[in-house]
Amino acid sequence: MATSVFFLSLFFLSHASAQFSSDPQLLFQIKEILEGKTGGGQNLLLSTWNLSFPFCEWRGIQWLNQNGTILDCQSSSLKLPSSDPVYVYSIQLSASGLTGRLPKELGSLNFLEKLYLNANSLTGGVPLELGNSLNLRFLSLGQNSLSGGLPSSMWNLCDNLVELDISENTFSGFIPSPALPNTTCSKLQRLDLGSNHLQGPVPAFISSLTGLHYLDLHNNSFSGPIPNDLALLNLTFLDLSFNNFSGPIPNFTLDFSVDGNPFLCGQAYCKETGARGKKLGMRTGILAAMVISLVAFLVFGASLSFCLHSSGKKKKKRELQDEQNEESRLILFHGGANLTVDDLLNANGVVIGKTGYGTLYKATVAGDGGTLILRLLQENTVRKPHSTFFSAIRLLGNLHHENLVPIKGCYQGERGEKLLVYGYVEGKNLAEMLHCSSMQNQLRWARRYEIALGIAHGLAFLHSDFGENIINVFHGNLKSKNVMIDEFYVPKLMDYGMSELMNPSSLTIMLSTAAEDGYCAPEASKLKKIINGRKYDVYSFGILLLEMMMGRPAGRCVSDRDEFVDLPTMVKRAVLEEKSMYIFDELVLGMEEESVLLELLQLAMGCCAPLPSVRPDMNEVIRKLEDLRPTSISSMYTSVDCRSDSEA
Ligand SMILES: *[C@@H]1O[C@H](CO)[C@@H](O)[C@H](O)[C@H]1NC(C)=O
Ligand SMILES: *[C@@H]1O[C@H](CO)[C@@H](O)[C@H](O)[C@H]1NC(C)=O
Ligand SMILES: *[C@@H]1O[C@H](CO)[C@@H](O)[C@H](O)[C@H]1NC(C)=O
Ligand SMILES: *[C@@H]1O[C@H](CO)[C@@H](O)[C@H](O)[C@H]1NC(C)=O
């Protein structure tokens, strides 16, 4: 089992002693591990990997000359050690009776492009080190007995990977997302994960593999909706059968298979769900999918360091392209005065979240530096020129409010990438607390109300005038995932002002994510930019308030009519059909007078008005909320603690 802690050496490329074992030496180690204990030198093919044989007779191996050409074995009968070094280019040991494990040494064969170990009896997991084989183009591990989770380091191979086949093993867990943002795997044509025990939703990342022709996910336990964007790929083969997908089937243009997914719409079950939905206020599987996606990010964090380390190795064929050099610098704000560059670069970090514009880490600083949240923004996502970025971050770093997670500093690396340093909030985010069944009970109405009010105060603070600003302060990305709830149930907003730190193309990505998540005001999703930041925030706040009252995730949900609608539409319908009371979460409904709840609903709907000019401002929202303060304080306290459940 891989440890999920890694050495966060983000910005300096390690020149640590790379061990220079020759490829033939590595093959001896690999041979021993591939043979397994029972093999004991008995594998006939592997017994040819032997110094007494010319290396052209080592079965299953193709070699490269030092100049990068493939060694012509017709004209070579050289034995090792030869005068010129040779490198392993391909290992082809399909159906070769291998019974051992996958050796981590495979990751040290720097010129390996093809690895075929399919149809053997290999056991154990995929070593993280395989992610160092940056030249691998064909990786076939299918039809073995490999198990365990897939390391996210496998996506480090993306620059060159053409084919990845791990079918017919017993891999389990989620499909990891790549550790680095902007990993595109644009060359990947064939992805076969069929017949494993993989589960969870299909990450959005898969739909962005634009070169993919062949996608096989059949015979696993994948769940959640089939991503609509899969239909945009140029696929010639798609097999999603025998999983547990739910929701509607995207408009695929190819012949595809979805048999054996009983919860997909268009099949008998979905109409039943609809009928049930009416009574229960239309809860559906989207919720489960969301909770899963929250947890999915917590899997492996180990691979980032590998990727950076290995790209620093001098012996790589491909040289790193020259990046424009930026001066590295560190700016510190209140609460961060003692941080040093070394603290940040040597912190132990785990990936806790990933968005289109940057990866989020929880990092422990050595000594008594404590815990921090770090957001890494790649150079190609941030606003230019850098001076504009720094003006914005200086302003944001000087904002202090009880309901904002403080920004303690900002580090710029040599390539212009930025690391934002946030204070750490012990606790969960609001999305988890609201939608993870093990935690919902902690949020009775009075508590949700206090959280809503705190969020409103945080926003109102951001919207106040800070004198002559060159940037316009607003949140720009309010959603339940960006609200941390501390141990006293005080909400703290994360990621405020990000829209002012990004370039237009990352802003577009952020807005389209917000639209998918249901928080993006209609004018912004239409124009692909934010015109009035404050009114934009008010819209997102309205959605958040609905989310808390209805106890269901924002975003487009399957309604009882099998169509996708957002929360405001759902409310409008319920009101028209005089079923308003059905839309409230049970933990809200019993706790407050109906008239008060309806006024709150009205307030939220006012915030979600399609026209920005009609929406109230945050100070009006606060005044209205204060008027609707819950009367029963006792409903705030429950003794339910399900922290341990949530770790599963
Ligand atoms: C590469 O090296 C091999 C053997 O060292 C030699 O036979 C071949 O001609 C070389 N090819 C090129 C293109 O230099
Ligand atoms: C599904 O996978 C199991 C092993 O996990 C295998 O025995 C079975 O044949 C597979 N079924 C299909 C339809 O591929
Ligand atoms: C889709 O794939 C087919 C077959 O590989 C190819 O002929 C066609 O040009 C591709 N279309 C696009 C839009 O990539
Ligand atoms: C399949 O998904 C449905 C909801 O969509 C869920 O109720 C059910 O428990 C899932 N079944 C399995 C075996 O995971």
Side-chain angles (χ1 to χ4, degrees):
M1 187 63 205
T3 164
S4 58
V5 175
F6 68 95
F7 204 57
L8 193 74
S9 47
L10 289 173
F11 298 103
F12 61 92
L13 300 171
S14 163
H15 297 292
S17 59
Q19 281 209 333
F20 276 99
S21 303
S22 73
D23 280 3
Q25 274 169 335
L26 286 166
L27 282 184
F28 289 136
Q29 295 170 35
I30 289 168
K31 166 182 167 179
E32 223 167 76
I33 300 166
L34 282 178
E35 273 183 339
K37 279 196 193 107
T38 51
Q42 300 306 302
N43 188 295
L44 284 181
L45 291 176
L46 291 182
S47 66
T48 62
W49 297 9
N50 186 322
L51 285 179
S52 56
F53 286 82
F55 54 76
C56 268
E57 289 178 28
W58 292 25
R59 299 293 299 274
I61 306 291
Q62 264 189 310
W63 301 94
L64 282 184
N65 291 311
Q66 201 173 9
N67 60 15
T69 58
I70 293 178
L71 181 77
D72 176 10
C73 275
Q74 301 294 323
S75 63
S76 167
S77 58
L78 289 175
K79 290 191 184 178
L80 289 168
S82 71
S83 49
D84 296 323
V86 284
Y87 302 100
V88 177
Y89 165 73
S90 145
I91 298 180
Q92 162 63 279
L93 291 172
S94 306
S96 301
L98 306 176
T99 55
R101 305 167 69 86
L102 283 177
K104 65 178 192 304
E105 284 75 7
L106 288 168
S108 306
L109 297 171
N110 286 302
F111 301 102
L112 186 65
E113 286 193 28
K114 302 180 178 181
L115 179 58
Y116 294 96
L117 298 175
N118 49 308
N120 285 292
S121 307
L122 297 169
T123 57
V126 175
L128 288 171
E129 284 81 351
L130 204 54
N132 293 348
S133 300
L134 297 183
N135 283 317
L136 261 184
R137 296 194 300 131
F138 298 89
L139 178 55
S140 179
L141 304 174
Q143 296 172 277
N144 278 290
S145 303
L146 298 167
S147 58
L150 300 174
S152 62
S153 68
M154 73 186 195
W155 301 126
N156 293 357
L157 306 175
C158 264
D159 281 350
N160 287 312
L161 207 58
V162 175
E163 190 174 309
L164 177 61
D165 176 1
I166 59 163
S167 62
E168 298 190 53
N169 280 286
T170 57
F171 288 114
S172 55
F174 298 83
I175 300 180
S177 290
L180 290 175
N182 306 322
T183 304
T184 55
C185 299
S186 55
K187 294 181 185 160
L188 190 62
Q189 295 179 9
R190 189 183 163 100
L191 181 60
D192 190 346
L193 309 180
S195 292
N196 276 287
H197 301 159
L198 296 166
Q199 51 168 306
V202 175
F205 167 67
I206 299 293
S207 323
S208 70
L209 302 172
T210 47
L212 209 60
H213 292 318
Y214 183 102
L215 179 60
D216 189 348
L217 303 178
H218 96 281
N219 201 15
N220 278 284
S221 303
F222 291 116
S223 57
I226 299 175
N228 269 318
D229 287 351
L230 278 186
L232 303 179
L233 296 177
N234 190 6
L235 295 174
T236 52
F237 180 88
L238 177 64
D239 192 348
L240 304 173
S241 60
F242 300 99
N243 278 291
N244 195 22
F245 288 112
S246 54
I249 301 170
N251 292 324
F252 292 117
T253 50
L254 75 164
D255 251 348
F256 60 97
S257 171
V258 291
D259 292 345
N261 286 282
F263 298 89
L264 277 178
C265 281
Q267 300 179 22
Y269 183 79
C270 224
K271 299 194 177 73
E272 249 175 81
T273 328
R276 231 180 27 178
K278 250 176 213 151
K279 254 191 285 162
L280 296 177
M282 306 172 269
R283 279 177 186 269
T284 66
I286 303 266
L287 186 145
M290 174 157 179
V291 173
I292 288 168
S293 71
L294 289 171
V295 181
F297 289 128
L298 302 178
V299 206
F300 301 93
S303 51
L304 183 60
S305 57
F306 290 127
C307 185
L308 289 172
H309 275 261
S310 38
S311 51
K313 282 184 194 163
K314 283 273 161 37
K315 49 182 170 166
K316 280 279 159 278
K317 245 197 308 203
R318 260 172 309 118
E319 287 297 324
L320 280 174
Q321 281 168 3
D322 260 311
E323 304 276 351
Q324 85 221 51
N325 263 8
E326 289 290 333
E327 211 176 313
S328 56
R329 55 170 149 170
L330 176 66
I331 302 181
L332 297 171
F333 303 110
H334 182 78
N338 296 329
L339 285 172
T340 64
V341 173
D342 278 352
D343 285 345
L344 293 176
L345 300 187
N346 294 327
N348 282 319
V350 283
V351 176
I352 55 172
K354 246 179 76 61
T355 56
Y357 50 89
T359 308
L360 203 60
Y361 304 88
K362 176 182 167 184
T364 317
V365 178
D368 54 358
T371 307
L372 298 169
I373 298 288
L374 305 178
R375 175 168 303 278
L376 174 62
L377 299 172
Q378 295 294 353
E379 192 271 342
N380 58 2
T381 64
V382 298
R383 190 164 165 180
K384 299 283 166 49
H386 292 281
S387 57
T388 331
F389 177 93
F390 281 106
S391 315
I393 196 69
R394 274 201 198 90
L395 178 58
L396 293 172
N398 284 312
L399 301 179
H400 300 288
H401 189 272
E402 186 193 19
N403 299 113
L404 299 182
V405 177
I407 298 179
K408 295 186 165 187
C410 175
Y411 176 75
Q412 173 174 271
E414 279 172 10
R415 297 193 203 163
E417 71 280 44
K418 312 282 191 295
L419 192 64
L420 300 185
V421 183
Y422 289 93
Y424 176 67
V425 179
E426 181 75 51
K428 302 280 178 190
N429 70 44
L430 180 59
E432 292 171 279
M433 305 246 353
L434 280 174
H435 307 308
C436 174
S437 61
S438 61
M439 280 182 271
Q440 283 161 343
N441 284 339
Q442 294 177 47
L443 293 190
R444 302 268 166 153
W445 171 243
R447 212 165 243 169
R448 290 185 200 196
Y449 168 87
E450 292 297 340
I451 290 172
L453 192 59
I455 295 169
H457 277 292
L459 289 178
F461 174 77
L462 287 174
H463 294 180
S464 46
D465 283 317
F466 299 103
E468 300 162 35
N469 292 323
I470 50 159
I471 73 158
N472 185 6
V473 183
F474 58 96
H475 191 295
N477 198 16
L478 181 69
K479 49 180 161 182
S480 52
K481 285 186 210 170
N482 278 342
V483 179
M484 297 302 300
I485 305 295
D486 78 5
E487 51 198 327
F488 306 108
Y489 297 95
V490 175
K492 312 245 180 205
L493 307 183
M494 281 284 295
D495 267 10
Y496 46 91
M498 288 297 300
S499 53
E500 295 304 304
L501 301 177
M502 293 176 189
N503 62 20
S505 62
S506 343
L507 185 60
T508 309
I509 297 175
M510 186 178 91
L511 286 176
S512 69
T513 310
E516 231 162 73
D517 291 348
Y519 301 93
C520 183
E523 74 278 5
S525 56
K526 211 150 88 204
L527 298 172
K528 305 221 182 323
K529 59 183 174 185
I530 299 176
I531 300 294
N532 182 335
R534 297 179 183 182
K535 295 293 187 183
Y536 179 82
D537 282 352
V538 172
Y539 182 93
S540 310
F541 178 82
I543 298 290
L544 200 53
L545 191 54
L546 289 177
E547 183 180 350
M548 285 193 273
M549 288 194 288
M550 296 163 76
R552 57 181 307 148
R556 295 172 162 262
C557 305
V558 185
S559 77
D560 54 348
R561 295 170 200 175
D562 281 2
E563 31 174 12
F564 280 83
V565 295
D566 59 8
L567 295 184
T569 307
M570 214 174 260
V571 172
K572 269 183 230 154
R573 286 219 187 124
V575 171
L576 283 176
E577 293 168 8
E578 300 186 342
K579 290 177 180 162
S580 313
M581 298 318 285
Y582 286 109
I583 64 171
F584 292 104
D585 190 339
E586 299 105 77
L587 288 169
V588 169
L589 195 53
M591 296 295 158
E592 191 49 88
E593 287 174 35
E594 290 190 8
S595 62
V596 174
L597 289 180
L598 290 177
E599 276 193 73
L600 282 161
L601 200 58
Q602 228 168 26
L603 172 63
M605 291 299 281
C607 293
C608 298
L611 276 181
S613 56
V614 181
R615 296 172 203 152
D617 68 32
M618 283 316 296
N619 286 317
E620 291 172 72
V621 170
I622 291 176
R623 278 196 295 278
K624 186 73 190 171
L625 276 176
E626 302 270 16
D627 288 345
L628 298 171
R629 181 172 284 283
T631 42
S632 139
I633 292 300
S634 64
S635 60
M636 223 153 120
Y637 302 100
T638 68
S639 58
V640 183
D641 185 359
C642 27
R643 206 161 278 257
S644 52
D645 298 356
S646 64
E647 308 293 338

